[in-house]
Amino acid sequence: MKLFKLLIAASSLLMLSSLAQAAEVNVAVAANFTAPMKQIAADFEKATGHKVVLSFGASGKFYAQIKNGAPFQLMLSADDEKPIQLEKDGLAVPGSRFTYAIGTLVLWSAKPGLVDPRGDILAKGAFNKIAIANPQLAPYGVAAMEVLAKRGLTAAIKPKIVQGENISQTFQFAGTGNTDLGFVALSQVMKGGKITSGSGWVVPGNLHTPIRQDAVLLMKGKGNPAAEGLANYLKTDKVKAFIRTYGYEI
């Protein structure tokens, strides 16, 4: 009986130890990174036992929420400016910021054959509406407006623009046919190295400022093994290779 009680006690201690080691991390994730991050989080949870709670949206909104005390512990932004500002604000752990992906912009339509390989449809104007993410909130929207400016098309196309709050809503507008075209993230339409539906023009990087996407450990995540572990996991060669399959550079 004494041995049995000892075994029960040892088993309970092991269970308590396992629970003590497991932690939870709340992550603010740029909308363009939704698909890859869901898989990355699932793999991380399986490998570590930690729990990952993901929120997807516009980086500008996340920045405002974090400034107002939102309980995020890690942020994956769609740019590098907001993580830098969070460091300056004293809300991010100094030295924890790193680039997890460099985004690729694509002009895309759900209609096969509508978008030509050089994006000449923009100058021809053979479309009614085009979806672009709000440049006040979304770096992909900033990049889209830069492309139009470099091609001298801002004035001509401005009346046709439908703004999405973030890149997910922008893709929804184009994907459902509410707009003929949309400037979206390549990661939203690519699988296995190919655009899987519709038609698209992958925008050359020299037409806009690089979409450098940085992650940063927030002060609320300092000392949290799940937050720190996930940040390190994103830097592994395995995860970097996976991220590239969605059309990102890294």
Side-chain angles (χ1 to χ4, degrees):
M1 180 64 73
K2 187 175 181 180
L3 178 60
F4 177 73
K5 288 181 178 180
L6 286 172
L7 287 172
I8 292 295
S11 176
S12 298
L13 284 171
L14 284 171
M15 287 178 67
L16 287 171
S17 175
S18 175
L19 289 171
Q21 290 174 4
E24 182 174 297
V25 55
N26 288 290
V27 192
V29 185
N32 74 86
F33 204 63
T34 298
M37 192 59 197
K38 284 182 178 180
Q39 186 60 54
I40 290 168
D43 292 344
F44 176 75
E45 287 181 335
K46 186 176 180 180
T48 65
H50 295 314
K51 180 175 175 59
V52 181
V53 179
L54 300 173
S55 297
F56 300 100
S59 298
K61 281 204 166 185
F62 282 137
Y63 172 75
Q65 289 170 4
I66 292 165
K67 287 269 288 182
N68 287 318
F72 295 117
Q73 295 151 318
L74 184 66
M75 180 182 185
L76 275 65
S77 182
D79 64 4
D80 58 357
E81 294 176 3
K82 292 171 189 68
I84 288 172
Q85 189 58 50
L86 286 169
E87 287 180 326
K88 292 178 180 177
D89 295 336
L91 296 171
V93 177
S96 67
R97 180 172 53 87
F98 64 96
T99 300
Y100 67 92
I102 298 174
T104 301
L105 185 69
V106 60
L107 178 67
W108 181 79
S109 172
K111 300 175 184 178
L114 182 62
V115 181
D116 58 279
R118 297 188 303 178
D120 290 336
I121 187 174
L122 291 172
K124 293 175 181 177
F127 60 94
N128 292 319
K129 296 293 181 182
I130 180 170
I132 293 178
N134 184 348
Q136 298 299 318
L137 298 172
Y140 279 81
V142 174
M145 295 306 296
E146 288 177 348
V147 173
L148 295 181
K150 281 209 172 183
R151 289 207 158 182
L153 297 170
T154 305
I157 290 181
K158 192 173 183 180
K160 298 184 176 186
I161 292 175
V162 175
Q163 268 192 14
E165 181 179 281
N166 54 48
I167 203 67
S168 290
Q169 189 178 57
T170 305
F171 175 66
Q172 183 181 15
F173 288 155
T176 56
N178 286 321
T179 63
D180 300 307
L181 305 171
F183 274 111
V184 301
L186 183 58
S187 59
Q188 295 173 299
V189 297
M190 171 178 272
K191 189 174 182 181
K194 295 180 180 180
I195 294 177
T196 55
S197 64
S199 54
W201 167 55
V202 179
V203 179
N206 61 3
L207 291 180
H208 60 80
T209 303
I211 307 172
R212 188 176 298 278
Q213 303 190 190
D214 279 9
V216 69
L217 180 68
L218 301 172
M219 292 303 293
K220 290 183 178 181
K222 188 176 182 180
N224 180 327
E228 294 177 351
L230 181 56
N232 289 327
Y233 187 66
L234 285 163
K235 301 175 188 176
T236 63
D237 290 340
K238 173 187 174 182
V239 172
K240 286 180 180 179
F242 175 70
I243 290 172
R244 288 190 190 98
T245 66
Y246 278 86
Y248 294 98
E249 296 178 20
I250 182 65

